[in-house]
């Protein structure tokens, strides 16, 4: 699920800068009750002596407590080893003779967690005391946590030594950690990068998400090349990073009846009640003590089980309610950029939003401020439309529970939320059938009908029926649909796209009417990635080389990525180029080793590594790539053995998951696997062309692939990829970019210079009006492409009938315009081959690419959110 950033505001000075809403004092709502020792999320606000202002110790003998409270994290080798041995022996109850890598990993993780918890408790108490504004994030692909925690704490070397003394190696233990795959593609990974940057930039940001029992499925490839899906029981061996908090819970209701009473209020009763239980994951900042919180919700039945049924002898019925509640957080929906439209999915969305808002509201009330000041202490960032139900949910809490007058409540709501749009693809825009929403959330549907959207538009554009219909929250088809993007825009004070082109398209296509209606509400914040994971952690060789030439201080450039510009001084230095290429070769060897181990295929590390890894989707056009591969293969086959010696050798790698119900995407995987089989078995192209589909793409596999790339492909139909972050990861690791003029690739080209990237294909302006039926036949659109399609039909890569629907799509409508871009794609590939032969010039391009990637740090992006949207400032925890 998407981003919600719940920020609590950095205090009075900043808050005063906010436009102060004019409220009718009659409608200020109930004054909050003060509690003695107010617990916040993790800390508490200590009572203070009224005269001296000193904190009053909460309980017992202060000296005994203080002596026992762990204040010094273990930092020397002995105390680190002691902590590991202690956890191995007591927490997981193992002895040296039965401690395996998996057990040792748990013990080490728990020792590291001890450190994190001290910082985390201090950070949260500090936030509670200073009452900064807070922000939420979800659908996470955090990948592995241990390496990241050790890096951020600056303890990697010390732990490595201690682990060595205990007879293990850090690398093996790192490898035995499972990825936390709680999200789908780029969106979830983006949220994880933003959490890392929030903590590193010392911003008071909270993440909220669901603790799915099964994360993104594990991908297997069947003998015929098709994708199979297996469950991902990532929690089976326990998760040492989370802290279970059975005391932090929120009741959530579904179904039932909503009865209007007075002044816009209603009571919502009956239906199904479940409880959300919190699990907290500390998020350490890089080289700071600030440690933020990611709170993941578990669904549990409200009353254990139904005793009445149990006593009546119906045991199955008695545990049924428990099963129904737990089903809510059982499994992640595996769609990326596609609306699933299932009731359970809407239930997950509401469960997540209601639990998080209930929690935010409780923490806000602990501050003892009037409810009208809510937006000065809380911002909530809607990461895509998935958490949009938070808008009617906050209205429900304010109006029905806090008894705030309707229009005052609406003023609070529209000063609290901001919305990030992540796609303009029609199939990805969420719409929910009204009967479904009405049944599941009867009160929310009433609230949505009460939002005075219609009247506001009517006032500004009297009689403009078409505009009114387009801007409505309801799509008046049968059945009627609720348009989540419209609700998100209307309920938010800022709306942003995620790259320049995308933000333009948002304002000129899908949300055009709203951009006209609310001038100033729309803006751009280009995505970013964290250089800690996507350079230092995944590419230690390059990181060390960069540190060496930039003056030996890694933490400086990793916190200010613009310093990479200093690399340009050495771009032509042959000695430096040699070291640069040696690092690349080492990364290619590391990957080649993995490929041999997992697939048995031996790849030529002197060949150009050409990589396309991302979710498999028609708009991302893996089809364009594989059709180009077939063309290349046929061309090489036509050459004489003598001519073949002049071909630039390539290893072409694919990886990515297709949504299990996405037939066309799964067929693409099948085609890639079968092309690879034919090519790799053909002695004519041995060592010159190798093609592979690596199964089960994940953050960890990305960390292995990305540093090894000479070139990577980001070849979406212009106007369809909102930003992309894969493009940034590759360029930050010195891989050159082959891409269309789309998303953030445009800005990468602007930063690193057009001469250092390979761009091709139609521009969005050419294509905008062509998403229509293609009348011209395929032969006329591209003869080379027609020939490639015929080879597939004729069975060169296995039974051609299997691929009929894929081929017919391209020969017919060709919605994603493969045939429009095919020839220019092949041309670009020829230019790439030529450029690779001049190694000094290629290496210079690689160095310059890395040097100018500073803009794409998620630190820059998160600071923009903090300054331009949330109005929050860093809140540093002192040493
Ligand atoms: C970065 C990342 C993505 C996003 O890649 P794009 O090329 O931007 O689509 C998807 N999955 C994983 C595991 C990633 O790390």
């Amino acid at each position: 699920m998407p981003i919600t950033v719940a920020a609590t505001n950095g205090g009075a000075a900043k808050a005063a800068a906010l436009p102060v809403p004019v409220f009718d004092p009659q409608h200020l709502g109930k004054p909050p009750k003060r509690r003695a020792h107010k617990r916040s999320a993790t800390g508490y606000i200590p009572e203070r002596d009224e005269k001296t202002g000193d904190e009053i110790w909460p309980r017992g003998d202060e000296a005994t407590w203080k002596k026992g409270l762990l204040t010094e994290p273990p930092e020397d080798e002995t105390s680190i080893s002691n902590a590991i041995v202690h956890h191995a022996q007591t927490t997981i109850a193992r002895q040296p003779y039965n401690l395996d890598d998996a057990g040792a990993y748990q013990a080490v993780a728990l020792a590291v967690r001890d450190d994190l918890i001290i910082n985390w408790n201090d950070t949260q108490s500090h936030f509670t005391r200073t009452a900064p504004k807070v922000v939420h994030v979800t659908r996470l692909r955090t990948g592995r946590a241990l390496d990241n925690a050790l890096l951020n704490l600056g303890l990697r070397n010390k732990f490595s030594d201690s682990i060595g003394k205990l007879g293990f190696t850090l690398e093996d233990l790192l490898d035995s950690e499972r990825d936390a795959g709680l999200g789908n593609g780029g969106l979830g990974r983006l949220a994880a990068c933003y959490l890392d940057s929030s903590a590193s930039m010392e911003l008071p940001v909270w993440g909220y998400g669901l603790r799915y029992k099964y994360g993104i499925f594990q991908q297997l490839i069947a003998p015929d090349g098709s994708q199979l899906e297996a469950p991902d029981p990532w929690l089976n061996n326990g998760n040492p990073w989370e802290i279970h908090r059975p005391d932090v819970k929120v009741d959530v209701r579904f179904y039932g009846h909503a009865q209007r009473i007075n002044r816009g209020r209603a009571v919502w009763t009956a239906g199904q009640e479940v409880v959300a239980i919190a699990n907290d994951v500390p998020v350490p900042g890089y080289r700071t003590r600030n440690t933020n919180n990611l709170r993941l919700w578990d669904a549990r039945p409200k009353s254990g089980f139904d005793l009445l049924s149990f006593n009546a002898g119906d045991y199955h019925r008695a545990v049924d309610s428990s099963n129904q509640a737990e089903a809510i957080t059982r499994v992640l929906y595996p769609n990326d950029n596609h609306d699933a439209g299932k009731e359970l999915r809407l239930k997950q969305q509401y469960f997540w939003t209601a639990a998080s808002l209930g929690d935010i509201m409780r923490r806000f009330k602990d501050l003892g401020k009037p409810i009208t000041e809510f937006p000065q202490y809380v911002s909530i960032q809607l990461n895509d439309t998935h958490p949009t139900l938070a808008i009617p949910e906050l209205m429900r809490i304010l109006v029905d529970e806090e008894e705030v007058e309707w229009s005052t409540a609406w003023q609070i709501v529209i000063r609290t939320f901001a919305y990030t749009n992540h796609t303009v693809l029609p199939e990805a825009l969420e719409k929910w059938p009204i009967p479904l929403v009405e049944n599941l959330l009867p009160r929310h549907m009433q609230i949505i009908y009460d939002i005075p959207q219609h009247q506001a538009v009517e006032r500004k554009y009297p009689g403009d029926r078409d505009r009114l219909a387009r801007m409505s929250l309801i799509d008046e088809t049968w059945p009627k649909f609720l348009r989540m993007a419209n609700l998100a825009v209307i309920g938010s004070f800022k709306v942003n796209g995620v790259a320049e082109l995308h933000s333009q398209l948002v304002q000129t296509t899908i949300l055009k009417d709203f951009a006209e209606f609310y001038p100033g509400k729309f803006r751009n914040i280009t995505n970013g990635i964290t250089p800690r994971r996507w350079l230092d952690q995944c590419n230690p060789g390059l990181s060390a080389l960069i540190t060496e030439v930039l003056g030996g201080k890694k933490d400086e450039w990793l916190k200010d990525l613009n310093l990479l510009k200093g690399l340009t001084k050495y771009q032509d230095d042959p000695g430096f180029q040699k070291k640069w290429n040696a690092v690349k070769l080492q990364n290619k060897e590391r990957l080649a080793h993995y490929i041999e181990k997992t697939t048995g295929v031996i790849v030529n590390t002197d060949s150009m590594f050409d990589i396309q890894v991302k979710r498999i989707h028609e708009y991302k056009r893996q089809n364009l790539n594989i059709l180009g591969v077939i063309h290349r293969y046929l061309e090489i086959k036509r050459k004489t053995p003598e001519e073949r010696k002049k071909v630039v050798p390539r290893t072409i790698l694919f990886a990515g998951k297709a949504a299990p119900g996405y037939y066309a995407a799964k067929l693409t995987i099948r085609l890639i696997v079968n092309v690879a089989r034919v090519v790799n078995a053909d002695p004519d192209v041995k060592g010159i062309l190798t093609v592979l589909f690596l199964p089960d793409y994940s953050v960890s596999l990305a960390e292995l692939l990305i540093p090894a790339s000479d070139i990577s492909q980001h070849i979406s139909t212009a106007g369809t990829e909102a930003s992309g972050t894969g493009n940034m990861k590759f360029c930050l690791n010195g891989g050159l970019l082959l891409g269309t003029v789309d998303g953030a690739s445009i800005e990468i080209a602007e930063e690193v210079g057009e001469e250092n990237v390979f761009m091709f294909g139609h521009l969005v302006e050419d294509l905008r009006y062509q998403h229509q039926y293609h009348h011209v036949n395929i032969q006329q659109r591209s003869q080379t492409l027609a020939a490639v399609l015929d080879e597939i039909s004729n069975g060169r890569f296995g039974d051609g009938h299997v691929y009929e629907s894929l081929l017919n799509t391209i020969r017919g409508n060709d919605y994603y315009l493969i045939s429009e871009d095919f020839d220019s794609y092949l041309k670009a590939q020829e230019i790439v081959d030529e450029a690779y032969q001049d190694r000094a010039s290629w290496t210079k391009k690689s160095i310059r690419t890395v040097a100018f990637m500073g803009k794409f740090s998620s630190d820059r992006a998160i600071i923009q959110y903090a300054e331009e949207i949330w109005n929050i400032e860093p809140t540093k925890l002192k040493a």
Side-chain angles (χ1 to χ4, degrees), residues 599-652:
T599 69
V601 176
I602 294 172
V603 300
N604 170 8
T605 50
D606 285 335
S607 66
M608 183 198 310
F609 278 25
D610 171 353
I611 307 184
Q612 187 181 21
V613 289
K614 48 185 78 225
R615 285 302 287 252
I616 310 291
H617 205 299
E618 285 165 288
Y619 88 83
K620 290 178 181 282
R621 299 202 295 192
Q622 282 90 357
N623 284 339
L624 180 57
N625 186 349
I626 193 65
L627 295 170
V629 170
I630 295 173
H631 175 79
R632 174 177 292 265
Y633 173 63
L634 299 174
E635 287 283 286
I636 299 173
K637 291 286 281 180
R638 262 182 228 119
K639 292 182 195 294
T640 62
E642 218 31 56
E643 287 168 333
R644 282 182 198 146
K645 287 193 183 133
K646 286 193 222 118
V647 176
V648 180
R650 279 217 204 198
T651 299
I652 299 168

Side-chain angles (χ1 to χ4, degrees), residues 424-598:
V424 297
L425 292 183
E427 67 267 34
L429 293 178
E430 275 193 300
K431 305 194 291 183
W432 291 100
I434 300 278
L436 194 155
V437 184
E438 210 145 39
N439 181 46
L440 188 71
L441 303 166
R443 177 55 184 142
H444 296 76
M445 212 51 239
Q446 288 176 347
I447 289 169
I448 289 165
Y449 279 126
D450 286 349
I451 295 172
Q453 157 71 357
H454 192 86
Q455 297 85 318
V457 178
E458 178 72 46
R459 238 176 287 130
K460 191 156 174 182
Y461 300 101
D464 191 341
R465 301 278 109 199
D466 289 348
R467 187 184 295 260
L468 215 53
R470 290 195 304 267
M471 293 179 72
S472 172
L473 291 171
I474 314 289
D475 184 343
E476 301 280 345
T477 47
W478 192 90
K480 294 180 179 174
F481 282 95
L482 175 60
R483 295 165 167 160
M484 303 311 270
N486 290 16
L487 180 56
V489 174
I490 290 163
S492 298
F493 64 93
K494 282 277 160 28
V495 178
N496 76 287
V498 291
E500 291 291 347
L501 174 67
H502 168 66
S503 296
Q504 285 306 317
L505 290 174
V506 165
Q507 292 171 62
T508 52
T509 63
I510 56 164
L511 297 175
K512 180 167 187 276
D513 296 311
F514 292 97
E516 283 169 23
F517 192 79
Y518 302 107
K521 199 184 241 196
F522 288 75
R523 65 185 51 231
N524 172 250
I525 298 183
T526 299
N527 283 164
I529 54 167
T530 168
R532 271 77 65 182
R533 183 174 294 265
W534 295 114
L535 177 50
D536 188 48
Q537 239 170 278
C538 70
N539 199 344
L542 191 61
S543 176
L545 180 58
I546 292 171
T547 302
E548 181 192 315
V549 298
L550 292 187
K553 296 218 176 77
K554 186 167 88 172
D555 43 353
E556 281 180 6
W557 65 264
L558 272 180
K559 270 204 166 179
D560 178 4
L561 206 59
N562 286 315
L563 293 174
L564 289 176
K565 288 202 173 80
L567 292 173
T568 52
K569 250 207 285 186
Y570 312 94
Q571 63 189 29
D572 294 307
D573 174 347
F576 182 69
Q577 284 208 350
K578 201 169 153 206
K579 288 185 185 168
W580 190 266
N581 291 333
V583 169
K584 182 61 79 185
L585 183 62
Q586 219 175 31
N587 292 332
K588 288 164 80 167
E589 279 162 358
R590 181 176 73 163
L591 177 60
H593 180 74
Y594 171 86
I595 291 173
E596 191 181 344
K597 204 176 67 186
T598 55

Side-chain angles (χ1 to χ4, degrees), residues 141 184-186 189 534 613-615 620 697-699 702 714 721 724-727 729:
R141 299 283 305 256
N184 272 295
R189 184 52 237 179
W534 295 114
V613 289
K614 48 185 78 225
R615 285 302 287 252
K620 290 178 181 282
Y697 187 50
S698 65
V699 172
H714 308 276
E721 185 75 273
T725 48
N727 44 6
K729 296 170 194 166

Side-chain angles (χ1 to χ4, degrees), residues 23-29:
F23 290 112
D24 176 350
Q26 282 176 354
H27 302 304
L28 286 184

Side-chain angles (χ1 to χ4, degrees), residues 68-95:
L69 283 177
L70 199 51
T71 47
E72 286 302 313
E75 290 208 333
D76 64 276
E77 214 180 278
T78 321
S79 62
I80 288 172
S81 321
N82 289 349
I84 297 171
V85 172
H86 170 78
H87 280 295
Q89 204 165 34
T90 61
T91 319
I92 63 167
R94 301 276 190 89
Q95 299 289 326

Side-chain angles (χ1 to χ4, degrees), residues 27 29-30 263 265 397-405:
H27 302 304
K30 284 190 292 192
R263 296 190 296 139
R265 291 180 61 212
I397 296 173
L398 292 172
V399 173
D400 296 352
E401 293 180 3
E402 300 299 317
E403 300 183 32
V404 179
E405 186 264 343

